[in-house]
Amino acid sequence: MPQYQVKIDRRVKKDLKGVSSDDVEKIKQSIISLAQNPRPDGCKKLKGKSKGYFRVRVGDYRIIYTVDDGVLLVVVIAVGHRKEVYKKL
């Protein structure tokens, strides 16, 4: 499988400021792994107004991202607690 380039939106860095360091490390590892497999087991394609986005669970946190297979690009849109992250979309 080809390697995807992963870009992180600048607001994601702000989203991670309130997260514990252990959870931040898990989230970073999950984001890095998206370069190898942008649709890992457990990912879901979102519906409704968030159509076209994917999400991956990391504990109580969610990583929201898009995949462009034409140029092999993954763009991480948002990271946040499961209760709040969908409100940001």
Side-chain angles (χ1 to χ4, degrees):
M1 180 175 262
Q3 177 99 5
Y4 283 70
Q5 181 180 5
V6 178
K7 290 194 176 185
I8 300 174
D9 192 83
R10 63 181 177 195
R11 68 181 166 173
V12 171
K13 294 177 185 173
K14 291 180 185 177
D15 293 343
L16 292 175
K17 285 188 178 179
V19 179
S20 72
S21 59
D22 290 339
D23 289 331
V24 169
E25 284 305 313
K26 291 176 188 176
I27 291 168
K28 285 182 181 180
Q29 290 303 316
S30 292
I31 290 172
I32 291 169
S33 71
L34 291 174
Q36 296 296 323
N37 184 7
R39 294 174 187 92
D41 291 339
C43 86
K44 290 208 175 185
K45 190 167 187 173
L46 300 181
K47 299 176 183 177
K49 70 176 184 173
S50 303
K51 191 175 183 179
Y53 294 149
F54 292 88
R55 71 109 168 114
V56 174
R57 294 173 48 187
V58 180
D60 285 341
Y61 294 91
R62 304 294 183 261
I63 301 169
I64 310 295
Y65 63 98
T66 61
V67 178
D68 187 347
D69 292 313
V71 292
L72 301 178
L73 179 66
V74 174
V75 180
V76 178
I77 304 296
V79 174
H81 193 272
R82 63 187 175 93
K83 291 181 181 179
E84 312 246 335
V85 72
Y86 300 106
K87 296 175 186 175
K88 298 177 185 178
L89 302 178

